[in-house]
Amino acid sequence: MSFTSILVTGGAGFIGSNFVRMMAREHPDTKITVLDSLTYAGNLENISDLIDAGRVRFVKGDIRDPIAVRAAMSGAEVVFNFAAETHVDRSIEEAASFIETDVQGTYNLLNFARELKVARYVQISTDEVYGSSDGTDFDEESPLKPGNPYSASKCGGDLMCLAFANTYKVPVVITRSSNNFGPYQHVEKFIPLFTTNAMEGKDLPLYGDGMHQRDWIYVEDNCRAIALVAEKGKTGEVYNIAVGNSQPNLRVAELILKHVGKTDSRIVFIEDRKGHDRMYKLKAEKVRKLGWQPRTDFADAMEQTVKWYVQNRGWWERVKSGAFREYYEKHYKDKLARGKAK
Ligand code: NAD
Ligand code: TDX
């Protein structure tokens, strides 16, 4: 099924841009609006071809700003909220922006979803809300035990969503996925950082003993699950999304080195992240019962992903240097100010 019109917040970031690309490709009749404030993590290059082709309407705006949200959400049938502060290390340094965007921004979106009577509001959340696992698989009823300021903020957003579903009958669904990987991921995150450092012959900084585990899902598998939950999920319900592919970080780092084929980089063990969650583990039967199953094999997808960073060196070099901002200034700033980048 296709939606008539969707609002994708955070659509210039990693998962949001992959979602927008998938929807644009597979649902040619769906009108797509992206609302993104273009923080350090937002990169218009990720969707510039679709904006230039008139396939995506881009609105530069903040989910904390009621005027921007109201304008962008008007006419949307379904809202997908990907916009968030997302990097755990940054939240350990400074959590205020996480609380503002991930909690206050979500509240703001929910208020307008209620007022404008959207048919569906999809909150994109994370496995991190359950906290570190001692080996048990968490299902959707497991208690929330966030282990860092980022995941605590995501819990705040999730709980506000559930409260709006219960109190005002806003048609909310929540997805909680495990770690995503794929193209267009910011170079501050583990897999792109290690891949690009290896290409540059730099060291790969592994936290602690390197035996923390993450359950990796290819971004497009997650995007498909999100679209399915939007269509078939039950209001007020949470859906975990994971494939059960836990890997110790050391193993993933070795795999990256193998695919990049560099011998002048080395893995170095550095001081551990404060409060570092050892492992996340999810039961994801509920989303499978809706008809979802991953299409991607981890080994193949890792090879393809590393290849994407190898082939798109200009993209990540501009992210690392900050030069991707110049691209925005040159191509869009005036047009967006005049409301023409549609
Ligand atoms: P990202 O950091 O790559 O992108 C976030 C996007 O949101 C950026 O484009 C940024 O400009 C935008 N944004 C941030 N604050 C904003 C604000 N106040 N108003 C408007 N736009 C704003 O993040 P990502 O990795 O693509 O994650 C997307 C969502 O998925 C997040 O909600 C995150 O919590 C969730 N998630 C991510 C992962 C993962 O592995 N990356 C896993 C599970 C869940
Ligand atoms: O330099 C590094 N060295 C290292 O050992 C970095 C950046 C990370 N790591 C480790 C920490 C984690 O165990 O790699 C693992 C993955 O780290 P991140 O890429 O920072 O991801 P994580 O902390 O697991 O959180 C991610 O998945 C859940 C996303 O950033 C979140 O937004 C999402 O909710």
Side-chain angles (χ1 to χ4, degrees), residues 233-284:
K234 209 170 139 213
T235 290
E237 297 275 322
V238 175
Y239 294 85
N240 289 345
I241 303 172
V243 296
N245 170 45
S246 278
Q247 305 278 343
N249 293 337
L250 177 59
R251 157 99 186 93
V252 176
E254 286 166 352
L255 203 58
I256 290 169
L257 277 177
K258 183 182 123 194
H259 289 318
V260 175
K262 291 281 276 203
T263 47
D264 52 348
S265 294
R266 50 188 190 116
I267 295 168
V268 289
F269 292 86
I270 63 164
E271 189 187 335
D272 208 354
R273 173 185 277 175
K274 288 192 184 74
H276 196 173
D277 287 337
R278 193 71 177 164
M279 118 171 112
Y280 305 118
K281 259 178 143 257
L282 294 184
K283 275 195 190 132

Short mmCIF file of all heavy atoms in Angstrom, two decimals, residues 233-284:
data_model
loop_
_atom_site.label_atom_id
_atom_site.label_comp_id
_atom_site.label_asym_id
_atom_site.label_seq_id
_atom_site.Cartn_x
_atom_site.Cartn_y
_atom_site.Cartn_z
N GLY A 233 0.74 -1.68 11.67
CA GLY A 233 0.89 -1.71 13.13
C GLY A 233 -0.36 -1.23 13.83
O GLY A 233 -1.19 -0.53 13.25
N LYS A 234 -0.47 -1.63 15.12
CA LYS A 234 -1.67 -1.28 15.89
C LYS A 234 -1.38 -0.03 16.72
O LYS A 234 -0.31 0.07 17.35
CB LYS A 234 -1.99 -2.46 16.80
CG LYS A 234 -3.43 -2.60 17.11
CD LYS A 234 -3.69 -3.93 17.82
CE LYS A 234 -4.68 -3.68 18.93
NZ LYS A 234 -4.52 -4.48 20.09
N THR A 235 -2.32 0.89 16.75
CA THR A 235 -2.13 2.13 17.50
C THR A 235 -1.75 1.87 18.95
O THR A 235 -2.34 1.00 19.61
CB THR A 235 -3.41 2.99 17.43
OG1 THR A 235 -3.54 3.48 16.10
CG2 THR A 235 -3.34 4.18 18.38
N GLY A 236 -0.74 2.62 19.42
CA GLY A 236 -0.32 2.51 20.82
C GLY A 236 0.65 1.36 21.05
O GLY A 236 1.05 1.10 22.19
N GLU A 237 1.07 0.69 19.96
CA GLU A 237 1.95 -0.47 20.13
C GLU A 237 3.40 -0.16 19.72
O GLU A 237 3.66 0.72 18.89
CB GLU A 237 1.46 -1.63 19.27
CG GLU A 237 0.09 -2.13 19.65
CD GLU A 237 0.10 -3.15 20.78
OE1 GLU A 237 1.03 -3.98 20.82
OE2 GLU A 237 -0.82 -3.10 21.63
N VAL A 238 4.29 -0.96 20.32
CA VAL A 238 5.73 -0.85 20.03
C VAL A 238 6.14 -2.08 19.22
O VAL A 238 5.64 -3.18 19.46
CB VAL A 238 6.52 -0.85 21.36
CG1 VAL A 238 8.03 -0.86 21.10
CG2 VAL A 238 6.13 0.36 22.22
N TYR A 239 7.05 -1.88 18.25
CA TYR A 239 7.56 -3.01 17.45
C TYR A 239 9.09 -3.00 17.46
O TYR A 239 9.71 -2.04 16.96
CB TYR A 239 7.04 -2.90 16.00
CG TYR A 239 5.54 -3.09 15.93
CD1 TYR A 239 4.68 -2.01 16.15
CD2 TYR A 239 4.97 -4.34 15.71
CE1 TYR A 239 3.30 -2.17 16.14
CE2 TYR A 239 3.60 -4.51 15.69
CZ TYR A 239 2.76 -3.43 15.91
OH TYR A 239 1.40 -3.60 15.91
N ASN A 240 9.68 -4.04 18.03
CA ASN A 240 11.13 -4.19 17.95
C ASN A 240 11.52 -4.63 16.54
O ASN A 240 10.79 -5.39 15.90
CB ASN A 240 11.61 -5.29 18.92
CG ASN A 240 11.51 -4.86 20.37
OD1 ASN A 240 11.35 -3.68 20.68
ND2 ASN A 240 11.62 -5.83 21.28
N ILE A 241 12.68 -4.14 16.08
CA ILE A 241 13.17 -4.54 14.75
C ILE A 241 14.63 -4.96 14.87
O ILE A 241 15.50 -4.14 15.19
CB ILE A 241 13.05 -3.36 13.75
CG1 ILE A 241 11.60 -2.86 13.69
CG2 ILE A 241 13.54 -3.77 12.37
CD1 ILE A 241 11.41 -1.59 12.89
N ALA A 242 14.89 -6.24 14.64
CA ALA A 242 16.26 -6.75 14.73
C ALA A 242 16.34 -8.06 13.98
O ALA A 242 15.33 -8.72 13.75
CB ALA A 242 16.65 -6.95 16.19
N VAL A 243 17.58 -8.43 13.62
CA VAL A 243 17.74 -9.68 12.89
C VAL A 243 18.43 -10.77 13.71
O VAL A 243 18.52 -11.91 13.28
CB VAL A 243 18.52 -9.48 11.56
CG1 VAL A 243 17.75 -8.58 10.63
CG2 VAL A 243 19.89 -8.91 11.80
N GLY A 244 18.91 -10.43 14.90
CA GLY A 244 19.60 -11.42 15.72
C GLY A 244 20.98 -11.73 15.17
O GLY A 244 21.35 -12.88 14.98
N ASN A 245 21.73 -10.66 14.90
CA ASN A 245 23.05 -10.83 14.30
C ASN A 245 24.09 -10.09 15.16
O ASN A 245 24.70 -9.13 14.73
CB ASN A 245 23.01 -10.26 12.88
CG ASN A 245 24.37 -10.16 12.26
OD1 ASN A 245 25.16 -11.10 12.35
ND2 ASN A 245 24.67 -9.02 11.67
N SER A 246 24.23 -10.55 16.40
CA SER A 246 25.14 -9.86 17.32
C SER A 246 26.60 -10.17 16.99
O SER A 246 26.96 -11.32 16.78
CB SER A 246 24.86 -10.28 18.76
OG SER A 246 23.79 -9.53 19.23
N GLN A 247 27.41 -9.12 16.96
CA GLN A 247 28.83 -9.27 16.64
C GLN A 247 29.65 -8.46 17.63
O GLN A 247 29.31 -7.30 17.89
CB GLN A 247 29.13 -8.67 15.26
CG GLN A 247 28.30 -9.21 14.12
CD GLN A 247 28.82 -10.52 13.59
OE1 GLN A 247 29.98 -10.89 13.85
NE2 GLN A 247 28.00 -11.24 12.88
N PRO A 248 30.73 -9.03 18.18
CA PRO A 248 31.62 -8.19 18.99
C PRO A 248 32.27 -7.12 18.11
O PRO A 248 32.56 -7.36 16.93
CB PRO A 248 32.69 -9.18 19.49
CG PRO A 248 32.26 -10.53 19.06
CD PRO A 248 31.22 -10.40 18.01
N ASN A 249 32.48 -5.93 18.67
CA ASN A 249 33.04 -4.83 17.89
C ASN A 249 34.38 -5.19 17.24
O ASN A 249 34.68 -4.79 16.11
CB ASN A 249 33.22 -3.59 18.77
CG ASN A 249 31.89 -3.01 19.22
OD1 ASN A 249 30.86 -3.23 18.56
ND2 ASN A 249 31.89 -2.31 20.34
N LEU A 250 35.19 -5.97 17.98
CA LEU A 250 36.51 -6.35 17.44
C LEU A 250 36.36 -7.12 16.13
O LEU A 250 37.09 -6.90 15.16
CB LEU A 250 37.27 -7.20 18.48
CG LEU A 250 38.63 -7.73 18.05
CD1 LEU A 250 39.59 -6.60 17.68
CD2 LEU A 250 39.26 -8.59 19.17
N ARG A 251 35.37 -7.99 16.09
CA ARG A 251 35.15 -8.81 14.89
C ARG A 251 34.74 -7.92 13.70
O ARG A 251 35.20 -8.10 12.57
CB ARG A 251 34.08 -9.85 15.22
CG ARG A 251 33.31 -10.43 14.09
CD ARG A 251 33.85 -11.80 13.66
NE ARG A 251 33.15 -12.28 12.47
CZ ARG A 251 33.57 -12.09 11.22
NH1 ARG A 251 34.70 -11.46 10.97
NH2 ARG A 251 32.88 -12.56 10.20
N VAL A 252 33.87 -6.93 13.99
CA VAL A 252 33.44 -6.02 12.92
C VAL A 252 34.62 -5.18 12.43
O VAL A 252 34.80 -4.96 11.22
CB VAL A 252 32.27 -5.11 13.41
CG1 VAL A 252 31.87 -4.10 12.34
CG2 VAL A 252 31.07 -5.97 13.81
N ALA A 253 35.46 -4.74 13.38
CA ALA A 253 36.64 -3.95 12.99
C ALA A 253 37.56 -4.77 12.08
O ALA A 253 38.07 -4.25 11.07
CB ALA A 253 37.39 -3.50 14.25
N GLU A 254 37.74 -6.04 12.41
CA GLU A 254 38.60 -6.91 11.58
C GLU A 254 38.02 -7.09 10.18
O GLU A 254 38.74 -7.09 9.18
CB GLU A 254 38.79 -8.27 12.26
CG GLU A 254 39.72 -8.19 13.47
CD GLU A 254 39.65 -9.43 14.38
OE1 GLU A 254 38.78 -10.30 14.17
OE2 GLU A 254 40.47 -9.49 15.31
N LEU A 255 36.69 -7.22 10.14
CA LEU A 255 36.00 -7.38 8.86
C LEU A 255 36.19 -6.13 7.99
O LEU A 255 36.43 -6.22 6.78
CB LEU A 255 34.50 -7.58 9.15
CG LEU A 255 33.63 -8.27 8.14
CD1 LEU A 255 34.16 -9.66 7.83
CD2 LEU A 255 32.20 -8.38 8.69
N ILE A 256 36.08 -4.98 8.62
CA ILE A 256 36.26 -3.72 7.88
C ILE A 256 37.67 -3.65 7.30
O ILE A 256 37.86 -3.36 6.10
CB ILE A 256 36.00 -2.51 8.81
CG1 ILE A 256 34.50 -2.43 9.14
CG2 ILE A 256 36.49 -1.20 8.17
CD1 ILE A 256 34.14 -1.45 10.24
N LEU A 257 38.67 -3.98 8.13
CA LEU A 257 40.06 -3.94 7.64
C LEU A 257 40.23 -4.87 6.44
O LEU A 257 40.88 -4.53 5.45
CB LEU A 257 41.02 -4.33 8.75
CG LEU A 257 41.41 -3.21 9.73
CD1 LEU A 257 42.31 -3.75 10.83
CD2 LEU A 257 42.10 -2.06 8.99
N LYS A 258 39.60 -6.04 6.55
CA LYS A 258 39.71 -7.02 5.44
C LYS A 258 39.11 -6.42 4.16
O LYS A 258 39.73 -6.47 3.09
CB LYS A 258 38.98 -8.31 5.83
CG LYS A 258 39.08 -9.40 4.79
CD LYS A 258 38.30 -10.64 5.20
CE LYS A 258 37.29 -10.95 4.12
NZ LYS A 258 36.27 -11.88 4.46
N HIS A 259 37.91 -5.83 4.26
CA HIS A 259 37.24 -5.32 3.06
C HIS A 259 37.95 -4.09 2.49
O HIS A 259 37.94 -3.87 1.28
CB HIS A 259 35.78 -4.99 3.34
CG HIS A 259 34.93 -6.21 3.54
ND1 HIS A 259 35.04 -7.33 2.76
CD2 HIS A 259 33.95 -6.49 4.44
CE1 HIS A 259 34.18 -8.25 3.15
NE2 HIS A 259 33.51 -7.77 4.18
N VAL A 260 38.52 -3.27 3.37
CA VAL A 260 39.22 -2.08 2.86
C VAL A 260 40.56 -2.50 2.25
O VAL A 260 41.08 -1.86 1.35
CB VAL A 260 39.41 -1.02 3.98
CG1 VAL A 260 40.26 0.15 3.49
CG2 VAL A 260 38.05 -0.50 4.46
N GLY A 261 41.09 -3.62 2.77
CA GLY A 261 42.33 -4.15 2.22
C GLY A 261 43.54 -3.31 2.54
O GLY A 261 44.49 -3.23 1.76
N LYS A 262 43.52 -2.64 3.71
CA LYS A 262 44.66 -1.81 4.09
C LYS A 262 45.47 -2.51 5.18
O LYS A 262 44.91 -3.08 6.11
CB LYS A 262 44.16 -0.47 4.64
CG LYS A 262 43.52 0.41 3.60
CD LYS A 262 44.52 1.12 2.73
CE LYS A 262 44.98 2.38 3.42
NZ LYS A 262 45.50 3.38 2.50
N THR A 263 46.77 -2.43 5.05
CA THR A 263 47.61 -3.07 6.05
C THR A 263 48.30 -2.05 6.95
O THR A 263 48.91 -2.41 7.95
CB THR A 263 48.69 -3.93 5.37
OG1 THR A 263 49.26 -3.14 4.33
CG2 THR A 263 48.11 -5.20 4.79
N ASP A 264 48.16 -0.75 6.58
CA ASP A 264 48.87 0.25 7.38
C ASP A 264 48.01 0.86 8.49
O ASP A 264 48.40 1.81 9.14
CB ASP A 264 49.43 1.36 6.48
CG ASP A 264 48.38 1.97 5.58
OD1 ASP A 264 47.28 1.38 5.49
OD2 ASP A 264 48.64 3.01 4.97
N SER A 265 46.78 0.32 8.68
CA SER A 265 45.96 0.76 9.80
C SER A 265 46.02 -0.29 10.89
O SER A 265 46.18 -1.47 10.61
CB SER A 265 44.50 0.89 9.38
OG SER A 265 44.37 1.91 8.46
N ARG A 266 45.84 0.14 12.14
CA ARG A 266 45.81 -0.88 13.18
C ARG A 266 44.70 -0.57 14.18
O ARG A 266 44.31 0.59 14.36
CB ARG A 266 47.16 -1.00 13.89
CG ARG A 266 47.66 0.30 14.32
CD ARG A 266 49.05 0.30 14.84
NE ARG A 266 49.20 1.63 15.41
CZ ARG A 266 49.39 1.91 16.67
NH1 ARG A 266 49.54 0.94 17.54
NH2 ARG A 266 49.44 3.14 17.10
N ILE A 267 44.19 -1.64 14.78
CA ILE A 267 43.17 -1.48 15.81
C ILE A 267 43.89 -1.12 17.11
O ILE A 267 44.82 -1.82 17.51
CB ILE A 267 42.41 -2.82 15.98
CG1 ILE A 267 41.63 -3.11 14.68
CG2 ILE A 267 41.49 -2.77 17.18
CD1 ILE A 267 41.07 -4.51 14.57
N VAL A 268 43.47 -0.03 17.74
CA VAL A 268 44.06 0.32 19.04
C VAL A 268 42.96 0.31 20.09
O VAL A 268 41.86 0.82 19.86
CB VAL A 268 44.77 1.70 19.04
CG1 VAL A 268 46.05 1.65 18.24
CG2 VAL A 268 43.87 2.79 18.52
N PHE A 269 43.25 -0.27 21.23
CA PHE A 269 42.27 -0.33 22.32
C PHE A 269 42.42 0.94 23.16
O PHE A 269 43.52 1.23 23.65
CB PHE A 269 42.50 -1.59 23.16
CG PHE A 269 42.18 -2.84 22.40
CD1 PHE A 269 43.13 -3.45 21.58
CD2 PHE A 269 40.90 -3.40 22.45
CE1 PHE A 269 42.83 -4.59 20.85
CE2 PHE A 269 40.59 -4.54 21.72
CZ PHE A 269 41.56 -5.14 20.92
N ILE A 270 41.33 1.68 23.28
CA ILE A 270 41.41 2.94 24.03
C ILE A 270 40.45 2.89 25.22
O ILE A 270 39.67 1.94 25.36
CB ILE A 270 41.12 4.17 23.13
CG1 ILE A 270 39.69 4.12 22.59
CG2 ILE A 270 42.13 4.27 22.00
CD1 ILE A 270 39.21 5.45 22.02
N GLU A 271 40.53 3.93 26.04
CA GLU A 271 39.69 4.00 27.24
C GLU A 271 38.23 3.76 26.88
O GLU A 271 37.73 4.28 25.87
CB GLU A 271 39.85 5.39 27.86
CG GLU A 271 39.20 5.52 29.22
CD GLU A 271 39.24 6.96 29.72
OE1 GLU A 271 40.14 7.74 29.29
OE2 GLU A 271 38.37 7.31 30.52
N ASP A 272 37.52 3.02 27.72
CA ASP A 272 36.14 2.66 27.41
C ASP A 272 35.22 3.88 27.48
O ASP A 272 35.50 4.84 28.20
CB ASP A 272 35.65 1.59 28.40
CG ASP A 272 34.58 0.71 27.81
OD1 ASP A 272 34.14 0.98 26.67
OD2 ASP A 272 34.17 -0.25 28.48
N ARG A 273 34.12 3.81 26.73
CA ARG A 273 33.04 4.81 26.82
C ARG A 273 32.46 4.73 28.24
O ARG A 273 32.27 3.62 28.76
CB ARG A 273 31.99 4.45 25.77
CG ARG A 273 30.73 5.25 25.81
CD ARG A 273 29.71 4.73 24.80
NE ARG A 273 29.93 5.25 23.46
CZ ARG A 273 29.22 4.85 22.39
NH1 ARG A 273 28.27 3.95 22.51
NH2 ARG A 273 29.47 5.35 21.20
N LYS A 274 32.14 5.86 28.83
CA LYS A 274 31.51 5.85 30.17
C LYS A 274 30.15 5.16 30.10
O LYS A 274 29.34 5.49 29.23
CB LYS A 274 31.30 7.28 30.67
CG LYS A 274 32.54 8.03 31.06
CD LYS A 274 32.15 9.32 31.81
CE LYS A 274 33.35 10.15 32.14
NZ LYS A 274 33.93 10.84 30.98
N GLY A 275 29.90 4.24 31.02
CA GLY A 275 28.58 3.58 31.07
C GLY A 275 28.27 2.74 29.84
O GLY A 275 27.10 2.52 29.53
N HIS A 276 29.30 2.28 29.15
CA HIS A 276 29.16 1.58 27.86
C HIS A 276 28.27 0.33 27.98
O HIS A 276 28.64 -0.64 28.65
CB HIS A 276 30.57 1.17 27.40
CG HIS A 276 30.67 0.79 25.97
ND1 HIS A 276 31.88 0.54 25.36
CD2 HIS A 276 29.74 0.62 25.01
CE1 HIS A 276 31.69 0.22 24.10
NE2 HIS A 276 30.38 0.26 23.86
N ASP A 277 27.12 0.34 27.31
CA ASP A 277 26.24 -0.83 27.32
C ASP A 277 26.95 -2.02 26.67
O ASP A 277 27.47 -1.90 25.56
CB ASP A 277 24.94 -0.54 26.55
CG ASP A 277 24.01 0.41 27.32
OD1 ASP A 277 24.13 0.50 28.55
OD2 ASP A 277 23.17 1.06 26.66
N ARG A 278 26.94 -3.16 27.37
CA ARG A 278 27.71 -4.31 26.88
C ARG A 278 27.08 -4.91 25.64
O ARG A 278 27.74 -5.24 24.67
CB ARG A 278 27.77 -5.36 28.01
CG ARG A 278 28.78 -6.46 27.77
CD ARG A 278 30.20 -5.92 27.92
NE ARG A 278 31.20 -6.97 27.78
CZ ARG A 278 32.48 -6.74 27.56
NH1 ARG A 278 32.95 -5.50 27.49
NH2 ARG A 278 33.33 -7.73 27.44
N MET A 279 25.77 -5.07 25.69
CA MET A 279 25.12 -5.68 24.52
C MET A 279 23.62 -5.40 24.54
O MET A 279 23.04 -5.16 25.60
CB MET A 279 25.43 -7.18 24.54
CG MET A 279 24.33 -8.13 24.65
SD MET A 279 24.97 -9.80 24.38
CE MET A 279 24.78 -10.47 26.00
N TYR A 280 23.03 -5.34 23.35
CA TYR A 280 21.57 -5.21 23.24
C TYR A 280 21.06 -6.49 22.60
O TYR A 280 21.72 -7.06 21.73
CB TYR A 280 21.20 -4.02 22.34
CG TYR A 280 21.82 -2.72 22.79
CD1 TYR A 280 22.71 -2.03 21.98
CD2 TYR A 280 21.51 -2.18 24.03
CE1 TYR A 280 23.27 -0.83 22.38
CE2 TYR A 280 22.07 -0.99 24.46
CZ TYR A 280 22.96 -0.32 23.62
OH TYR A 280 23.51 0.86 24.04
N LYS A 281 19.86 -6.92 23.05
CA LYS A 281 19.31 -8.14 22.47
C LYS A 281 17.80 -7.99 22.40
O LYS A 281 17.16 -7.70 23.42
CB LYS A 281 19.66 -9.35 23.36
CG LYS A 281 20.81 -10.16 22.83
CD LYS A 281 21.16 -11.30 23.76
CE LYS A 281 21.55 -12.52 22.96
NZ LYS A 281 20.62 -13.55 22.84
N LEU A 282 17.25 -8.17 21.24
CA LEU A 282 15.81 -7.95 21.05
C LEU A 282 15.11 -9.20 20.54
O LEU A 282 15.66 -9.94 19.73
CB LEU A 282 15.57 -6.86 20.01
CG LEU A 282 16.00 -5.44 20.32
CD1 LEU A 282 15.56 -4.52 19.17
CD2 LEU A 282 15.41 -4.95 21.63
N LYS A 283 13.88 -9.37 21.00
CA LYS A 283 12.96 -10.32 20.33
C LYS A 283 12.18 -9.50 19.32
O LYS A 283 11.65 -8.45 19.66
CB LYS A 283 11.95 -10.86 21.36
CG LYS A 283 12.43 -12.03 22.15
CD LYS A 283 11.25 -12.70 22.85
CE LYS A 283 11.78 -13.71 23.83
NZ LYS A 283 11.18 -13.63 25.15
N ALA A 284 12.10 -9.98 18.09
CA ALA A 284 11.41 -9.18 17.08
C ALA A 284 10.32 -9.99 16.37
O ALA A 284 10.00 -9.76 15.21
CB ALA A 284 12.42 -8.63 16.07
#
